[in-house]
Amino acid sequence: MFSRFWSQTAGGLPRVFWTLWSAILVNRIGAFGMLFLPLYLSAGRGLSLTAAGLVTAGYGIGGAGGSLIGGVLADSWGRRATMVTANGIAAALMLALAFAQPLWLIAGLTLFIGIFHSMPGPATVAAIIDIVPEESRSRAFNLQFWAFNLGMAIASALAGVIAEVGFFFLFALDAATTAITAYVLFRHVPETLMLRQGRPSRPWATRPWPARPIGSRPHPASGQVKRSTTPGGLGTALTDPIFMVFVGLTFIAAILNSQTSILQLAMNADGLSPAAYGIVAAVPGLLIVLGQLFVPRLIQGRLKGRVLALSLAVSGIGYFTLTFADVFGAYLMAAAIWTIGSMIAAPPNAEVIAELAPARLRARYQAVFFLTFPAAGFVAPAVGGWSLEHLGDVHWVLIGVLGLAAAAGHLLASRPRERRVARLLAAPAALPTSATV
């Protein structure tokens, strides 16, 4: 029975997808450093909650720039080159952070780590869209989200124990797994963009592949490949109103998900240990690992806007319950609630981006979408540290209200977006290959 379920869920996906999946898993298992950075700054370096939040916010500032840079590079330089380079540099920076002592150096390294941690995101998703057939993308995105959270669950459980030994090991092990990720991508993942010279890159040289590059089509008269030069770039994504409304609502969802950086400060104030926070942080990943593969069946055939609205409402309620949390069990219960919300949002989020993005600007649209997460990574700790310090539990009330407001926004925005997608599906496919920044 399980084998049949797994075959229906994961069967038929390309081998390169599973290599990307494995790289994501390895990278997330070692994602120790940034997970415990606020606690390191407050408990290990003696900074106030506000100051710790501001330094951590530098990671979000860097990530915002990194997402845009990564999207442009992935569409012009290549998916593989962007992923390998960014992970390699991130590993070196993380190792430097393990040895850093001056606060100004820690702040600077945090900023640059944010840049290079965020660069591979748009390239990874664009690569998955490149190689996975449209009818299988929902399964692929669901499995990608599953791998991400499986790795985070393992990392969270291990990180709490490692932090008890010493924060140095968190950063050093993070650097090691990031370097391994870069190596796996370099050795085993081809360039899926395949625009250079109209042929696949070396890793696929001995495997069957279309003779023409992705994004080109034969001229109807001559049968020769003809490339479109229709202009487009980041400005196209940033001035797309329906897409930007979706991005704005995703930013609010990211604000909710980024509350984990504040959660550890709240738990520390309640006298709970780093190991206790590690367990609570591992709960979302554990629940996602156990239940995420069943989500596509639960939401199949339902309007994406309604699913996303339900997701934000449930997440908001989960964070609202932290208003009353002061013991370990209460934090565990709240984490379980908001995790259910994030689980049902993952497949429709990815599908909406794939539907709205023109083929030639696939990574750029992903870059703007990914911008929401580092931006939230800046806003959440920068404002949240102050809010928790001065407003106390009212902070969690405000977060709950924010989630419910965004849920209403998805209901209002759903119908125009669905009409747009229907028009795109009805129109002849345009497959240009060149774009401007």
Side-chain angles (χ1 to χ4, degrees), residues 166-216:
F167 287 105
F168 167 83
F169 297 102
L170 290 175
F171 302 121
L173 289 172
D174 193 326
T177 54
T178 305
I180 293 171
T181 302
Y183 176 78
V184 169
L185 293 169
F186 176 75
R187 290 289 297 172
H188 302 292
V189 174
E191 180 47 69
T192 66
L193 190 60
M194 295 191 306
L195 295 180
R196 294 191 182 95
Q197 302 177 357
R199 64 172 182 262
S201 59
R202 185 178 181 85
W204 270 345
T206 59
R207 298 175 201 167
W209 194 258
R212 61 187 177 87
I214 290 175
S216 61

Coordinates of all heavy atoms in Angstrom, one line a residue, residues 166-216:
G166 N 28.5 24.4 22.4 CA 29.2 25.6 22.0 C 28.7 26.1 20.7 O 28.4 25.4 19.8
F167 N 28.5 27.5 20.6 CA 28.0 28.1 19.4 C 29.0 27.9 18.2 O 28.5 27.9 17.1 CB 27.7 29.5 19.6 CG 26.4 29.7 20.5 CD1 26.5 30.2 21.8 CD2 25.2 29.5 20.0 CE1 25.4 30.4 22.6 CE2 24.0 29.7 20.7 CZ 24.2 30.1 22.0
F168 N 30.3 27.8 18.5 CA 31.2 27.7 17.4 C 30.9 26.5 16.5 O 31.0 26.6 15.3 CB 32.6 27.5 18.0 CG 33.7 27.0 17.0 CD1 34.3 27.9 16.2 CD2 34.0 25.7 16.9 CE1 35.2 27.5 15.2 CE2 34.9 25.2 15.9 CZ 35.5 26.2 15.1
F169 N 30.5 25.4 17.1 CA 30.2 24.2 16.3 C 29.0 24.3 15.4 O 28.9 23.7 14.4 CB 30.0 23.0 17.3 CG 31.2 22.6 18.1 CD1 31.4 23.0 19.4 CD2 32.3 22.0 17.5 CE1 32.5 22.8 20.1 CE2 33.4 21.7 18.2 CZ 33.5 22.1 19.5
L170 N 28.0 25.2 15.9 CA 26.9 25.4 15.0 C 27.3 26.0 13.7 O 26.9 25.6 12.6 CB 25.9 26.4 15.7 CG 25.1 25.9 16.9 CD1 24.3 27.0 17.5 CD2 24.2 24.8 16.5
F171 N 28.2 27.0 13.7 CA 28.6 27.7 12.5 C 29.5 26.9 11.7 O 29.5 26.9 10.4 CB 29.2 29.1 12.9 CG 28.3 30.0 13.6 CD1 28.7 30.4 14.9 CD2 27.1 30.4 13.1 CE1 27.9 31.3 15.6 CE2 26.3 31.2 13.8 CZ 26.7 31.7 15.1
A172 N 30.4 26.1 12.3 CA 31.4 25.3 11.6 C 30.7 24.2 10.9 O 31.0 23.9 9.7 CB 32.4 24.7 12.6
L173 N 29.7 23.5 11.5 CA 29.0 22.4 10.9 C 28.1 22.9 9.7 O 28.0 22.3 8.7 CB 28.2 21.6 11.9 CG 29.0 20.8 12.9 CD1 28.1 20.2 14.0 CD2 29.7 19.6 12.2
D174 N 27.5 24.1 9.9 CA 26.7 24.7 8.9 C 27.6 25.0 7.7 O 27.2 24.7 6.5 CB 26.2 26.0 9.4 CG 25.1 26.6 8.5 OD1 25.2 26.4 7.3 OD2 24.2 27.2 9.0
A175 N 28.8 25.5 7.9 CA 29.7 25.7 6.7 C 30.1 24.4 6.0 O 30.1 24.4 4.8 CB 31.0 26.4 7.3
A176 N 30.3 23.3 6.8 CA 30.6 22.0 6.1 C 29.5 21.5 5.3 O 29.8 21.1 4.1 CB 31.0 21.0 7.2
T177 N 28.3 21.5 5.7 CA 27.2 21.0 4.9 C 26.9 21.9 3.7 O 26.5 21.4 2.7 CB 25.9 20.8 5.8 OG1 25.6 22.1 6.4 CG2 26.1 19.8 6.9
T178 N 27.1 23.2 3.9 CA 26.9 24.1 2.7 C 27.9 23.8 1.6 O 27.6 23.8 0.4 CB 27.0 25.5 3.2 OG1 26.0 25.8 4.2 CG2 26.6 26.5 2.0
A179 N 29.2 23.5 2.1 CA 30.2 23.1 1.1 C 29.9 21.8 0.4 O 30.1 21.7 -0.8 CB 31.6 23.1 1.8
I180 N 29.4 20.9 1.1 CA 29.0 19.6 0.5 C 27.9 19.8 -0.5 O 27.9 19.2 -1.6 CB 28.5 18.6 1.6 CG1 29.7 18.2 2.5 CG2 27.8 17.4 1.0 CD1 29.3 17.4 3.7
T181 N 26.9 20.7 -0.2 CA 25.8 21.0 -1.1 C 26.4 21.6 -2.4 O 26.0 21.2 -3.5 CB 24.9 22.0 -0.5 OG1 24.3 21.5 0.7 CG2 23.7 22.4 -1.5
A182 N 27.4 22.5 -2.3 CA 28.0 23.1 -3.5 C 28.7 22.0 -4.3 O 28.6 22.0 -5.6 CB 29.0 24.1 -3.1
Y183 N 29.3 21.0 -3.7 CA 30.0 20.0 -4.4 C 29.0 19.1 -5.1 O 29.2 18.7 -6.3 CB 30.8 19.1 -3.4 CG 31.5 17.9 -4.0 CD1 32.7 18.1 -4.8 CD2 31.0 16.7 -3.9 CE1 33.3 17.0 -5.4 CE2 31.6 15.6 -4.5 CZ 32.7 15.8 -5.2 OH 33.3 14.7 -5.8
V184 N 27.9 18.7 -4.5 CA 26.9 17.8 -5.1 C 26.3 18.5 -6.3 O 26.2 17.9 -7.4 CB 25.8 17.5 -4.1 CG1 24.6 16.8 -4.8 CG2 26.4 16.6 -3.0
L185 N 26.0 19.8 -6.2 CA 25.5 20.5 -7.4 C 26.5 20.6 -8.5 O 26.1 20.5 -9.7 CB 25.1 21.9 -6.9 CG 23.9 22.0 -5.9 CD1 23.8 23.4 -5.3 CD2 22.6 21.6 -6.6
F186 N 27.7 20.9 -8.2 CA 28.8 21.0 -9.2 C 29.0 19.7 -9.9 O 29.2 19.7 -11.2 CB 30.1 21.4 -8.5 CG 31.2 21.5 -9.5 CD1 31.4 22.6 -10.4 CD2 32.2 20.5 -9.4 CE1 32.4 22.6 -11.3 CE2 33.3 20.6 -10.3 CZ 33.4 21.7 -11.2
R187 N 29.0 18.6 -9.2 CA 29.3 17.3 -9.8 C 28.2 16.6 -10.5 O 28.4 15.9 -11.5 CB 29.8 16.3 -8.7 CG 31.2 16.7 -8.2 CD 32.3 16.4 -9.2 NE 32.4 15.0 -9.5 CZ 33.1 14.5 -10.5 NH1 33.9 15.3 -11.2 NH2 33.2 13.2 -10.8
H188 N 26.9 16.8 -10.0 CA 25.8 16.0 -10.5 C 24.6 16.7 -11.1 O 23.7 16.1 -11.6 CB 25.3 15.1 -9.3 CG 26.4 14.3 -8.8 ND1 27.0 13.2 -9.5 CD2 27.1 14.3 -7.6 CE1 27.9 12.6 -8.7 NE2 28.0 13.2 -7.6
V189 N 24.6 18.1 -11.1 CA 23.5 18.8 -11.6 C 23.9 19.5 -12.9 O 24.9 20.3 -12.9 CB 22.9 19.8 -10.6 CG1 21.8 20.7 -11.3 CG2 22.3 19.0 -9.4
P190 N 23.2 19.3 -14.0 CA 23.6 20.0 -15.3 C 23.0 21.4 -15.3 O 22.2 21.8 -14.4 CB 23.0 19.1 -16.3 CG 21.8 18.6 -15.7 CD 22.1 18.4 -14.2
E191 N 23.3 22.1 -16.3 CA 22.7 23.5 -16.6 C 21.4 23.3 -17.3 O 21.4 23.0 -18.5 CB 23.7 24.3 -17.4 CG 23.2 25.7 -17.6 CD 22.6 26.4 -16.4 OE1 23.4 26.7 -15.5 OE2 21.4 26.5 -16.3
T192 N 20.3 23.5 -16.6 CA 19.0 23.2 -17.1 C 18.6 24.4 -18.1 O 17.6 24.2 -18.9 CB 17.9 23.1 -16.0 OG1 17.8 24.3 -15.3 CG2 18.4 22.0 -15.1
L193 N 19.2 25.5 -18.0 CA 18.8 26.6 -18.9 C 19.1 26.3 -20.3 O 18.4 26.5 -21.3 CB 19.5 27.9 -18.5 CG 19.0 29.2 -19.1 CD1 17.5 29.4 -18.9 CD2 19.8 30.3 -18.6
M194 N 20.3 25.7 -20.5 CA 20.8 25.1 -21.8 C 20.6 26.1 -23.0 O 20.2 25.8 -24.0 CB 20.0 23.9 -22.2 CG 20.3 22.7 -21.2 SD 19.6 21.2 -21.8 CE 17.9 21.6 -22.1
L195 N 21.1 27.3 -22.8 CA 21.0 28.3 -23.8 C 22.3 28.4 -24.6 O 22.4 28.9 -25.7 CB 20.6 29.7 -23.3 CG 19.2 29.8 -22.7 CD1 19.0 31.2 -22.2 CD2 18.2 29.4 -23.7
R196 N 23.4 28.1 -23.9 CA 24.7 28.2 -24.6 C 24.9 27.2 -25.7 O 24.9 26.0 -25.5 CB 25.8 28.0 -23.5 CG 25.8 29.1 -22.5 CD 27.1 29.0 -21.7 NE 27.1 30.1 -20.6 CZ 26.7 29.8 -19.4 NH1 26.3 28.7 -19.1 NH2 26.7 30.8 -18.5
Q197 N 25.0 27.7 -26.9 CA 25.3 26.9 -28.1 C 24.2 25.9 -28.4 O 24.4 25.0 -29.2 CB 26.6 26.1 -27.9 CG 27.8 27.1 -27.7 CD 29.1 26.3 -27.4 OE1 29.1 25.1 -27.4 NE2 30.2 27.0 -27.3
G198 N 23.0 26.1 -27.7 CA 21.9 25.2 -28.1 C 22.0 23.8 -27.7 O 21.4 22.9 -28.4
R199 N 22.9 23.4 -26.7 CA 23.0 22.0 -26.4 C 23.2 21.8 -24.9 O 23.6 22.8 -24.2 CB 24.2 21.4 -27.1 CG 25.5 22.0 -26.8 CD 26.6 21.1 -27.4 NE 28.0 21.6 -27.1 CZ 28.7 22.4 -27.9 NH1 28.2 22.8 -29.0 NH2 29.9 22.8 -27.5
P200 N 22.9 20.7 -24.4 CA 23.0 20.4 -22.9 C 24.4 20.5 -22.4 O 25.4 20.3 -23.2 CB 22.5 19.0 -22.7 CG 22.6 18.4 -24.0 CD 22.5 19.4 -25.1
S201 N 24.6 20.8 -21.2 CA 25.9 20.9 -20.6 C 26.5 19.5 -20.3 O 25.8 18.5 -20.4 CB 25.9 21.7 -19.3 OG 25.0 21.1 -18.4
R202 N 27.7 19.4 -20.0 CA 28.4 18.1 -19.9 C 27.8 17.0 -19.1 O 27.8 15.9 -19.6 CB 29.8 18.4 -19.4 CG 30.7 17.1 -19.4 CD 32.1 17.5 -18.9 NE 33.0 16.3 -19.0 CZ 33.6 15.9 -20.0 NH1 33.5 16.6 -21.2 NH2 34.4 14.9 -20.0
P203 N 27.2 17.3 -17.9 CA 26.6 16.2 -17.2 C 25.5 15.4 -17.9 O 25.2 14.3 -17.5 CB 26.1 16.9 -15.9 CG 26.9 18.1 -15.7 CD 27.2 18.5 -17.2
W204 N 24.9 16.0 -18.9 CA 23.8 15.3 -19.6 C 24.3 14.9 -21.1 O 23.5 14.5 -21.9 CB 22.6 16.2 -19.7 CG 21.7 16.0 -18.6 CD1 21.6 14.9 -17.7 CD2 20.6 16.8 -18.2 NE1 20.7 15.1 -16.8 CE2 20.0 16.3 -17.1 CE3 20.1 18.0 -18.8 CZ2 18.9 16.9 -16.5 CZ3 19.0 18.6 -18.1 CH2 18.4 18.0 -17.0
A205 N 25.6 15.0 -21.3 CA 26.0 14.9 -22.7 C 25.7 13.5 -23.3 O 25.6 13.4 -24.5 CB 27.5 15.2 -22.8
T206 N 25.7 12.5 -22.4 CA 25.5 11.2 -22.9 C 24.0 10.7 -22.8 O 23.7 9.6 -23.0 CB 26.4 10.2 -22.2 OG1 26.0 10.3 -20.8 CG2 27.8 10.5 -22.4
R207 N 23.1 11.6 -22.4 CA 21.7 11.3 -22.2 C 20.8 11.9 -23.2 O 21.1 13.0 -23.7 CB 21.3 11.7 -20.8 CG 22.1 11.0 -19.7 CD 21.7 11.5 -18.3 NE 22.8 11.2 -17.4 CZ 22.9 11.8 -16.2 NH1 21.9 12.6 -15.8 NH2 23.9 11.5 -15.4
P208 N 19.7 11.3 -23.6 CA 18.8 11.9 -24.5 C 18.3 13.2 -24.1 O 18.0 13.4 -22.9 CB 17.7 10.9 -24.7 CG 18.3 9.6 -24.1 CD 19.3 10.0 -23.1
W209 N 18.3 14.2 -25.0 CA 17.7 15.5 -24.6 C 17.3 16.2 -25.9 O 17.9 15.9 -27.0 CB 18.8 16.3 -23.9 CG 18.2 17.5 -23.3 CD1 18.2 18.8 -23.7 CD2 17.4 17.5 -22.1 NE1 17.5 19.6 -22.8 CE2 17.0 18.9 -21.8 CE3 17.0 16.5 -21.2 CZ2 16.2 19.2 -20.8 CZ3 16.2 16.9 -20.1 CH2 15.8 18.3 -19.9
P210 N 16.3 17.1 -25.9 CA 15.9 17.7 -27.1 C 17.1 18.5 -27.8 O 17.9 19.0 -27.1 CB 14.9 18.7 -26.7 CG 14.3 18.1 -25.4 CD 15.5 17.4 -24.8
A211 N 17.2 18.4 -29.1 CA 18.3 19.1 -29.8 C 18.3 20.6 -29.7 O 19.3 21.2 -29.8 CB 18.3 18.6 -31.3
R212 N 17.1 21.1 -29.5 CA 17.0 22.6 -29.4 C 16.9 23.0 -28.0 O 16.5 22.2 -27.1 CB 15.7 23.1 -30.1 CG 14.4 22.5 -29.5 CD 13.2 22.9 -30.4 NE 12.0 22.4 -29.9 CZ 11.2 23.0 -29.0 NH1 11.6 24.1 -28.5 NH2 10.1 22.4 -28.6
P213 N 17.4 24.2 -27.6 CA 17.4 24.7 -26.3 C 16.0 25.0 -25.7 O 15.1 25.3 -26.5 CB 18.3 26.0 -26.3 CG 18.1 26.4 -27.7 CD 17.9 25.2 -28.6
I214 N 15.9 24.9 -24.4 CA 14.6 25.2 -23.8 C 14.3 26.7 -24.1 O 15.2 27.6 -24.0 CB 14.7 25.0 -22.3 CG1 14.8 23.5 -22.0 CG2 13.6 25.7 -21.5 CD1 15.0 23.3 -20.5
G215 N 13.0 27.0 -24.4 CA 12.7 28.3 -24.6 C 12.8 28.8 -26.1 O 12.5 29.9 -26.4
S216 N 13.2 27.9 -27.0 CA 13.2 28.2 -28.4 C 12.2 27.3 -29.2 O 11.8 26.3 -28.7 CB 14.6 28.0 -29.0 OG 15.0 26.7 -28.8

